[in-house]
Amino acid sequence: MFFWARERMVTLSFIQPGKPTQNAFIESFNGKFRDGCLNQHWFLSLTDARYEINQWRAHYNHVRPHSSLGYMPPVAYAQRCA
């Protein structure tokens, strides 16, 4: 990753170890993803993992209500805003 970033003149910025609140949004998402998908399935293959993760992603974006969006799924909220 370091070499990729250097070749493209991208500055990498990392949160400090032990400071997950510096990136609370992704930490919150990671917890939801871990609890709602990764901890629920025993993946038998990479194909199986891709399938289950895509199923979870579709549910997360199209069905699951998000309190920060007025309890609407992200896709419905985006359509309402457009």
Side-chain angles (χ1 to χ4, degrees):
M1 188 165 80
F2 170 76
F3 295 114
W4 175 89
R6 188 173 69 184
E7 288 172 8
R8 288 161 180 79
M9 295 185 288
V10 173
T11 302
L12 297 176
S13 180
F14 298 98
I15 64 170
Q16 294 172 306
K19 303 276 187 181
T21 56
Q22 290 178 347
N23 195 353
F25 293 112
I26 195 64
E27 292 298 323
S28 175
F29 173 79
N30 286 345
K32 290 176 178 78
F33 181 55
R34 185 175 43 255
D35 293 342
C37 183
L38 300 178
N39 290 348
Q40 301 295 319
H41 300 284
W42 185 272
F43 303 116
L44 302 175
S45 65
L46 185 55
T47 301
D48 183 38
R50 286 181 177 141
Y51 174 80
E52 293 297 342
I53 290 168
N54 281 330
Q55 293 292 104
W56 181 86
R57 183 180 48 81
H59 182 268
Y60 186 85
N61 288 318
H62 294 271
V63 179
R64 183 184 177 274
H66 295 242
S67 61
S68 63
L69 302 176
Y71 294 95
M72 296 177 71
V75 169
Y77 183 81
Q79 289 171 347
R80 191 179 99 190
C81 293

PDB file of all heavy atoms in Angstrom, residues 39-64:
ATOM      1  N   ASN A  39     -20.032 -12.620  11.730  1.00  0.00           N
ATOM      2  CA  ASN A  39     -20.228 -13.534  12.861  1.00  0.00           C
ATOM      3  C   ASN A  39     -21.395 -14.490  12.644  1.00  0.00           C
ATOM      4  O   ASN A  39     -21.558 -15.439  13.406  1.00  0.00           O
ATOM      5  CB  ASN A  39     -20.445 -12.758  14.156  1.00  0.00           C
ATOM      6  CG  ASN A  39     -19.201 -12.063  14.642  1.00  0.00           C
ATOM      7  OD1 ASN A  39     -18.106 -12.311  14.165  1.00  0.00           O
ATOM      8  ND2 ASN A  39     -19.372 -11.171  15.598  1.00  0.00           N
ATOM      9  N   GLN A  40     -22.204 -14.266  11.616  1.00  0.00           N
ATOM     10  CA  GLN A  40     -23.393 -15.081  11.375  1.00  0.00           C
ATOM     11  C   GLN A  40     -23.156 -16.225  10.391  1.00  0.00           C
ATOM     12  O   GLN A  40     -24.012 -17.088  10.250  1.00  0.00           O
ATOM     13  CB  GLN A  40     -24.523 -14.201  10.840  1.00  0.00           C
ATOM     14  CG  GLN A  40     -24.917 -13.068  11.758  1.00  0.00           C
ATOM     15  CD  GLN A  40     -25.508 -13.565  13.062  1.00  0.00           C
ATOM     16  OE1 GLN A  40     -26.295 -14.511  13.077  1.00  0.00           O
ATOM     17  NE2 GLN A  40     -25.111 -12.941  14.155  1.00  0.00           N
ATOM     18  N   HIS A  41     -22.030 -16.198   9.694  1.00  0.00           N
ATOM     19  CA  HIS A  41     -21.813 -17.164   8.612  1.00  0.00           C
ATOM     20  C   HIS A  41     -20.467 -17.865   8.748  1.00  0.00           C
ATOM     21  O   HIS A  41     -19.493 -17.274   9.196  1.00  0.00           O
ATOM     22  CB  HIS A  41     -21.870 -16.461   7.250  1.00  0.00           C
ATOM     23  CG  HIS A  41     -23.168 -15.796   6.982  1.00  0.00           C
ATOM     24  ND1 HIS A  41     -24.293 -16.487   6.622  1.00  0.00           N
ATOM     25  CD2 HIS A  41     -23.528 -14.502   7.052  1.00  0.00           C
ATOM     26  CE1 HIS A  41     -25.292 -15.643   6.479  1.00  0.00           C
ATOM     27  NE2 HIS A  41     -24.853 -14.425   6.739  1.00  0.00           N
ATOM     28  N   TRP A  42     -20.470 -19.099   8.321  1.00  0.00           N
ATOM     29  CA  TRP A  42     -19.249 -19.885   8.200  1.00  0.00           C
ATOM     30  C   TRP A  42     -19.023 -20.025   6.705  1.00  0.00           C
ATOM     31  O   TRP A  42     -19.699 -20.782   6.022  1.00  0.00           O
ATOM     32  CB  TRP A  42     -19.456 -21.257   8.843  1.00  0.00           C
ATOM     33  CG  TRP A  42     -18.228 -22.096   8.864  1.00  0.00           C
ATOM     34  CD1 TRP A  42     -17.801 -22.944   7.885  1.00  0.00           C
ATOM     35  CD2 TRP A  42     -17.262 -22.165   9.905  1.00  0.00           C
ATOM     36  NE1 TRP A  42     -16.635 -23.538   8.252  1.00  0.00           N
ATOM     37  CE2 TRP A  42     -16.275 -23.079   9.491  1.00  0.00           C
ATOM     38  CE3 TRP A  42     -17.121 -21.568  11.144  1.00  0.00           C
ATOM     39  CZ2 TRP A  42     -15.176 -23.393  10.263  1.00  0.00           C
ATOM     40  CZ3 TRP A  42     -16.027 -21.885  11.907  1.00  0.00           C
ATOM     41  CH2 TRP A  42     -15.074 -22.780  11.475  1.00  0.00           C
ATOM     42  N   PHE A  43     -18.099 -19.247   6.171  1.00  0.00           N
ATOM     43  CA  PHE A  43     -17.885 -19.212   4.734  1.00  0.00           C
ATOM     44  C   PHE A  43     -17.131 -20.456   4.284  1.00  0.00           C
ATOM     45  O   PHE A  43     -16.068 -20.775   4.804  1.00  0.00           O
ATOM     46  CB  PHE A  43     -17.114 -17.952   4.338  1.00  0.00           C
ATOM     47  CG  PHE A  43     -17.804 -16.685   4.767  1.00  0.00           C
ATOM     48  CD1 PHE A  43     -17.207 -15.841   5.680  1.00  0.00           C
ATOM     49  CD2 PHE A  43     -19.044 -16.346   4.262  1.00  0.00           C
ATOM     50  CE1 PHE A  43     -17.833 -14.668   6.078  1.00  0.00           C
ATOM     51  CE2 PHE A  43     -19.682 -15.185   4.641  1.00  0.00           C
ATOM     52  CZ  PHE A  43     -19.071 -14.339   5.556  1.00  0.00           C
ATOM     53  N   LEU A  44     -17.684 -21.129   3.284  1.00  0.00           N
ATOM     54  CA  LEU A  44     -17.081 -22.362   2.789  1.00  0.00           C
ATOM     55  C   LEU A  44     -16.096 -22.105   1.659  1.00  0.00           C
ATOM     56  O   LEU A  44     -15.260 -22.961   1.365  1.00  0.00           O
ATOM     57  CB  LEU A  44     -18.175 -23.311   2.319  1.00  0.00           C
ATOM     58  CG  LEU A  44     -19.211 -23.675   3.400  1.00  0.00           C
ATOM     59  CD1 LEU A  44     -20.319 -24.524   2.807  1.00  0.00           C
ATOM     60  CD2 LEU A  44     -18.530 -24.379   4.561  1.00  0.00           C
ATOM     61  N   SER A  45     -16.216 -20.959   1.015  1.00  0.00           N
ATOM     62  CA  SER A  45     -15.326 -20.618  -0.095  1.00  0.00           C
ATOM     63  C   SER A  45     -15.374 -19.110  -0.288  1.00  0.00           C
ATOM     64  O   SER A  45     -16.215 -18.414   0.285  1.00  0.00           O
ATOM     65  CB  SER A  45     -15.774 -21.313  -1.384  1.00  0.00           C
ATOM     66  OG  SER A  45     -17.045 -20.808  -1.782  1.00  0.00           O
ATOM     67  N   LEU A  46     -14.489 -18.617  -1.136  1.00  0.00           N
ATOM     68  CA  LEU A  46     -14.501 -17.199  -1.464  1.00  0.00           C
ATOM     69  C   LEU A  46     -15.798 -16.833  -2.186  1.00  0.00           C
ATOM     70  O   LEU A  46     -16.383 -15.775  -1.937  1.00  0.00           O
ATOM     71  CB  LEU A  46     -13.285 -16.850  -2.321  1.00  0.00           C
ATOM     72  CG  LEU A  46     -13.086 -15.384  -2.648  1.00  0.00           C
ATOM     73  CD1 LEU A  46     -13.035 -14.531  -1.390  1.00  0.00           C
ATOM     74  CD2 LEU A  46     -11.815 -15.197  -3.458  1.00  0.00           C
ATOM     75  N   THR A  47     -16.286 -17.708  -3.035  1.00  0.00           N
ATOM     76  CA  THR A  47     -17.553 -17.482  -3.735  1.00  0.00           C
ATOM     77  C   THR A  47     -18.695 -17.376  -2.742  1.00  0.00           C
ATOM     78  O   THR A  47     -19.555 -16.488  -2.850  1.00  0.00           O
ATOM     79  CB  THR A  47     -17.817 -18.617  -4.747  1.00  0.00           C
ATOM     80  OG1 THR A  47     -16.734 -18.658  -5.672  1.00  0.00           O
ATOM     81  CG2 THR A  47     -19.122 -18.414  -5.480  1.00  0.00           C
ATOM     82  N   ASP A  48     -18.712 -18.257  -1.759  1.00  0.00           N
ATOM     83  CA  ASP A  48     -19.741 -18.231  -0.718  1.00  0.00           C
ATOM     84  C   ASP A  48     -19.652 -16.924   0.078  1.00  0.00           C
ATOM     85  O   ASP A  48     -20.672 -16.291   0.359  1.00  0.00           O
ATOM     86  CB  ASP A  48     -19.572 -19.438   0.203  1.00  0.00           C
ATOM     87  CG  ASP A  48     -20.644 -19.530   1.260  1.00  0.00           C
ATOM     88  OD1 ASP A  48     -21.816 -19.223   0.964  1.00  0.00           O
ATOM     89  OD2 ASP A  48     -20.306 -19.923   2.402  1.00  0.00           O
ATOM     90  N   ALA A  49     -18.450 -16.508   0.425  1.00  0.00           N
ATOM     91  CA  ALA A  49     -18.267 -15.258   1.172  1.00  0.00           C
ATOM     92  C   ALA A  49     -18.776 -14.076   0.360  1.00  0.00           C
ATOM     93  O   ALA A  49     -19.479 -13.207   0.885  1.00  0.00           O
ATOM     94  CB  ALA A  49     -16.800 -15.063   1.537  1.00  0.00           C
ATOM     95  N   ARG A  50     -18.428 -14.022  -0.917  1.00  0.00           N
ATOM     96  CA  ARG A  50     -18.900 -12.926  -1.775  1.00  0.00           C
ATOM     97  C   ARG A  50     -20.423 -12.896  -1.844  1.00  0.00           C
ATOM     98  O   ARG A  50     -21.037 -11.827  -1.791  1.00  0.00           O
ATOM     99  CB  ARG A  50     -18.318 -13.060  -3.175  1.00  0.00           C
ATOM    100  CG  ARG A  50     -16.866 -12.699  -3.230  1.00  0.00           C
ATOM    101  CD  ARG A  50     -16.330 -12.826  -4.648  1.00  0.00           C
ATOM    102  NE  ARG A  50     -14.945 -12.409  -4.691  1.00  0.00           N
ATOM    103  CZ  ARG A  50     -14.017 -12.999  -5.407  1.00  0.00           C
ATOM    104  NH1 ARG A  50     -14.314 -14.056  -6.155  1.00  0.00           N
ATOM    105  NH2 ARG A  50     -12.781 -12.557  -5.395  1.00  0.00           N
ATOM    106  N   TYR A  51     -21.044 -14.056  -1.981  1.00  0.00           N
ATOM    107  CA  TYR A  51     -22.493 -14.135  -2.048  1.00  0.00           C
ATOM    108  C   TYR A  51     -23.133 -13.603  -0.762  1.00  0.00           C
ATOM    109  O   TYR A  51     -24.022 -12.752  -0.789  1.00  0.00           O
ATOM    110  CB  TYR A  51     -22.949 -15.570  -2.321  1.00  0.00           C
ATOM    111  CG  TYR A  51     -24.434 -15.721  -2.254  1.00  0.00           C
ATOM    112  CD1 TYR A  51     -25.234 -15.340  -3.321  1.00  0.00           C
ATOM    113  CD2 TYR A  51     -25.053 -16.215  -1.110  1.00  0.00           C
ATOM    114  CE1 TYR A  51     -26.613 -15.446  -3.257  1.00  0.00           C
ATOM    115  CE2 TYR A  51     -26.427 -16.323  -1.030  1.00  0.00           C
ATOM    116  CZ  TYR A  51     -27.205 -15.939  -2.106  1.00  0.00           C
ATOM    117  OH  TYR A  51     -28.566 -16.042  -2.022  1.00  0.00           O
ATOM    118  N   GLU A  52     -22.691 -14.119   0.379  1.00  0.00           N
ATOM    119  CA  GLU A  52     -23.279 -13.713   1.662  1.00  0.00           C
ATOM    120  C   GLU A  52     -23.048 -12.230   1.950  1.00  0.00           C
ATOM    121  O   GLU A  52     -23.933 -11.536   2.445  1.00  0.00           O
ATOM    122  CB  GLU A  52     -22.717 -14.564   2.803  1.00  0.00           C
ATOM    123  CG  GLU A  52     -23.115 -16.021   2.755  1.00  0.00           C
ATOM    124  CD  GLU A  52     -24.613 -16.263   2.889  1.00  0.00           C
ATOM    125  OE1 GLU A  52     -25.353 -15.367   3.355  1.00  0.00           O
ATOM    126  OE2 GLU A  52     -25.055 -17.363   2.517  1.00  0.00           O
ATOM    127  N   ILE A  53     -21.857 -11.733   1.639  1.00  0.00           N
ATOM    128  CA  ILE A  53     -21.562 -10.317   1.877  1.00  0.00           C
ATOM    129  C   ILE A  53     -22.409  -9.441   0.966  1.00  0.00           C
ATOM    130  O   ILE A  53     -22.934  -8.405   1.398  1.00  0.00           O
ATOM    131  CB  ILE A  53     -20.057 -10.049   1.709  1.00  0.00           C
ATOM    132  CG1 ILE A  53     -19.301 -10.718   2.870  1.00  0.00           C
ATOM    133  CG2 ILE A  53     -19.758  -8.560   1.641  1.00  0.00           C
ATOM    134  CD1 ILE A  53     -17.807 -10.785   2.688  1.00  0.00           C
ATOM    135  N   ASN A  54     -22.607  -9.850  -0.290  1.00  0.00           N
ATOM    136  CA  ASN A  54     -23.476  -9.092  -1.188  1.00  0.00           C
ATOM    137  C   ASN A  54     -24.925  -9.103  -0.712  1.00  0.00           C
ATOM    138  O   ASN A  54     -25.628  -8.093  -0.830  1.00  0.00           O
ATOM    139  CB  ASN A  54     -23.372  -9.605  -2.619  1.00  0.00           C
ATOM    140  CG  ASN A  54     -22.144  -9.105  -3.321  1.00  0.00           C
ATOM    141  OD1 ASN A  54     -21.654  -8.010  -3.030  1.00  0.00           O
ATOM    142  ND2 ASN A  54     -21.624  -9.892  -4.252  1.00  0.00           N
ATOM    143  N   GLN A  55     -25.372 -10.228  -0.165  1.00  0.00           N
ATOM    144  CA  GLN A  55     -26.725 -10.299   0.395  1.00  0.00           C
ATOM    145  C   GLN A  55     -26.861  -9.326   1.567  1.00  0.00           C
ATOM    146  O   GLN A  55     -27.850  -8.605   1.684  1.00  0.00           O
ATOM    147  CB  GLN A  55     -27.055 -11.724   0.845  1.00  0.00           C
ATOM    148  CG  GLN A  55     -27.175 -12.722  -0.263  1.00  0.00           C
ATOM    149  CD  GLN A  55     -28.395 -12.450  -1.122  1.00  0.00           C
ATOM    150  OE1 GLN A  55     -28.276 -11.928  -2.220  1.00  0.00           O
ATOM    151  NE2 GLN A  55     -29.549 -12.774  -0.628  1.00  0.00           N
ATOM    152  N   TRP A  56     -25.867  -9.320   2.445  1.00  0.00           N
ATOM    153  CA  TRP A  56     -25.892  -8.425   3.598  1.00  0.00           C
ATOM    154  C   TRP A  56     -25.866  -6.971   3.148  1.00  0.00           C
ATOM    155  O   TRP A  56     -26.613  -6.139   3.650  1.00  0.00           O
ATOM    156  CB  TRP A  56     -24.704  -8.715   4.522  1.00  0.00           C
ATOM    157  CG  TRP A  56     -24.699  -7.829   5.724  1.00  0.00           C
ATOM    158  CD1 TRP A  56     -25.365  -8.047   6.900  1.00  0.00           C
ATOM    159  CD2 TRP A  56     -24.036  -6.572   5.863  1.00  0.00           C
ATOM    160  NE1 TRP A  56     -25.146  -6.995   7.749  1.00  0.00           N
ATOM    161  CE2 TRP A  56     -24.335  -6.074   7.133  1.00  0.00           C
ATOM    162  CE3 TRP A  56     -23.222  -5.822   5.033  1.00  0.00           C
ATOM    163  CZ2 TRP A  56     -23.845  -4.862   7.605  1.00  0.00           C
ATOM    164  CZ3 TRP A  56     -22.733  -4.609   5.488  1.00  0.00           C
ATOM    165  CH2 TRP A  56     -23.047  -4.147   6.767  1.00  0.00           C
ATOM    166  N   ARG A  57     -25.004  -6.654   2.175  1.00  0.00           N
ATOM    167  CA  ARG A  57     -24.881  -5.277   1.663  1.00  0.00           C
ATOM    168  C   ARG A  57     -26.198  -4.808   1.064  1.00  0.00           C
ATOM    169  O   ARG A  57     -26.643  -3.679   1.309  1.00  0.00           O
ATOM    170  CB  ARG A  57     -23.763  -5.198   0.627  1.00  0.00           C
ATOM    171  CG  ARG A  57     -23.523  -3.797   0.099  1.00  0.00           C
ATOM    172  CD  ARG A  57     -22.409  -3.772  -0.931  1.00  0.00           C
ATOM    173  NE  ARG A  57     -22.520  -4.786  -1.963  1.00  0.00           N
ATOM    174  CZ  ARG A  57     -23.306  -4.682  -3.033  1.00  0.00           C
ATOM    175  NH1 ARG A  57     -24.042  -3.623  -3.219  1.00  0.00           N
ATOM    176  NH2 ARG A  57     -23.329  -5.661  -3.913  1.00  0.00           N
ATOM    177  N   ALA A  58     -26.858  -5.662   0.290  1.00  0.00           N
ATOM    178  CA  ALA A  58     -28.141  -5.294  -0.307  1.00  0.00           C
ATOM    179  C   ALA A  58     -29.177  -5.021   0.782  1.00  0.00           C
ATOM    180  O   ALA A  58     -29.922  -4.034   0.722  1.00  0.00           O
ATOM    181  CB  ALA A  58     -28.627  -6.399  -1.244  1.00  0.00           C
ATOM    182  N   HIS A  59     -29.222  -5.867   1.801  1.00  0.00           N
ATOM    183  CA  HIS A  59     -30.156  -5.661   2.901  1.00  0.00           C
ATOM    184  C   HIS A  59     -29.825  -4.368   3.655  1.00  0.00           C
ATOM    185  O   HIS A  59     -30.718  -3.585   3.982  1.00  0.00           O
ATOM    186  CB  HIS A  59     -30.121  -6.858   3.854  1.00  0.00           C
ATOM    187  CG  HIS A  59     -31.093  -6.728   4.983  1.00  0.00           C
ATOM    188  ND1 HIS A  59     -30.760  -6.170   6.191  1.00  0.00           N
ATOM    189  CD2 HIS A  59     -32.398  -7.057   5.073  1.00  0.00           C
ATOM    190  CE1 HIS A  59     -31.810  -6.172   6.983  1.00  0.00           C
ATOM    191  NE2 HIS A  59     -32.813  -6.705   6.324  1.00  0.00           N
ATOM    192  N   TYR A  60     -28.546  -4.138   3.917  1.00  0.00           N
ATOM    193  CA  TYR A  60     -28.103  -2.948   4.649  1.00  0.00           C
ATOM    194  C   TYR A  60     -28.490  -1.672   3.917  1.00  0.00           C
ATOM    195  O   TYR A  60     -28.885  -0.691   4.533  1.00  0.00           O
ATOM    196  CB  TYR A  60     -26.586  -3.021   4.843  1.00  0.00           C
ATOM    197  CG  TYR A  60     -26.008  -1.920   5.706  1.00  0.00           C
ATOM    198  CD1 TYR A  60     -25.987  -2.049   7.090  1.00  0.00           C
ATOM    199  CD2 TYR A  60     -25.476  -0.765   5.147  1.00  0.00           C
ATOM    200  CE1 TYR A  60     -25.441  -1.055   7.893  1.00  0.00           C
ATOM    201  CE2 TYR A  60     -24.935   0.234   5.941  1.00  0.00           C
ATOM    202  CZ  TYR A  60     -24.923   0.085   7.313  1.00  0.00           C
ATOM    203  OH  TYR A  60     -24.392   1.080   8.105  1.00  0.00           O
ATOM    204  N   ASN A  61     -28.381  -1.670   2.600  1.00  0.00           N
ATOM    205  CA  ASN A  61     -28.636  -0.462   1.821  1.00  0.00           C
ATOM    206  C   ASN A  61     -30.079  -0.302   1.361  1.00  0.00           C
ATOM    207  O   ASN A  61     -30.533   0.822   1.151  1.00  0.00           O
ATOM    208  CB  ASN A  61     -27.717  -0.416   0.597  1.00  0.00           C
ATOM    209  CG  ASN A  61     -26.293  -0.128   0.982  1.00  0.00           C
ATOM    210  OD1 ASN A  61     -26.028   0.710   1.832  1.00  0.00           O
ATOM    211  ND2 ASN A  61     -25.359  -0.823   0.363  1.00  0.00           N
ATOM    212  N   HIS A  62     -30.815  -1.404   1.191  1.00  0.00           N
ATOM    213  CA  HIS A  62     -32.153  -1.324   0.613  1.00  0.00           C
ATOM    214  C   HIS A  62     -33.280  -1.597   1.600  1.00  0.00           C
ATOM    215  O   HIS A  62     -34.421  -1.185   1.344  1.00  0.00           O
ATOM    216  CB  HIS A  62     -32.289  -2.308  -0.553  1.00  0.00           C
ATOM    217  CG  HIS A  62     -31.423  -1.958  -1.724  1.00  0.00           C
ATOM    218  ND1 HIS A  62     -31.832  -1.131  -2.726  1.00  0.00           N
ATOM    219  CD2 HIS A  62     -30.148  -2.322  -2.028  1.00  0.00           C
ATOM    220  CE1 HIS A  62     -30.867  -0.984  -3.611  1.00  0.00           C
ATOM    221  NE2 HIS A  62     -29.820  -1.711  -3.201  1.00  0.00           N
ATOM    222  N   VAL A  63     -33.005  -2.293   2.698  1.00  0.00           N
ATOM    223  CA  VAL A  63     -34.074  -2.717   3.605  1.00  0.00           C
ATOM    224  C   VAL A  63     -33.901  -2.157   5.015  1.00  0.00           C
ATOM    225  O   VAL A  63     -34.845  -1.606   5.587  1.00  0.00           O
ATOM    226  CB  VAL A  63     -34.160  -4.267   3.671  1.00  0.00           C
ATOM    227  CG1 VAL A  63     -35.234  -4.709   4.632  1.00  0.00           C
ATOM    228  CG2 VAL A  63     -34.373  -4.849   2.283  1.00  0.00           C
ATOM    229  N   ARG A  64     -32.720  -2.305   5.569  1.00  0.00           N
ATOM    230  CA  ARG A  64     -32.463  -1.966   6.981  1.00  0.00           C
ATOM    231  C   ARG A  64     -32.640  -0.475   7.247  1.00  0.00           C
ATOM    232  O   ARG A  64     -31.993   0.353   6.619  1.00  0.00           O
ATOM    233  CB  ARG A  64     -31.036  -2.372   7.343  1.00  0.00           C
ATOM    234  CG  ARG A  64     -30.682  -2.149   8.788  1.00  0.00           C
ATOM    235  CD  ARG A  64     -29.202  -2.486   9.006  1.00  0.00           C
ATOM    236  NE  ARG A  64     -28.794  -2.229  10.362  1.00  0.00           N
ATOM    237  CZ  ARG A  64     -28.384  -1.052  10.805  1.00  0.00           C
ATOM    238  NH1 ARG A  64     -28.344  -0.018  10.006  1.00  0.00           N
ATOM    239  NH2 ARG A  64     -28.021  -0.908  12.060  1.00  0.00           N
TER     240      ARG A  64
END
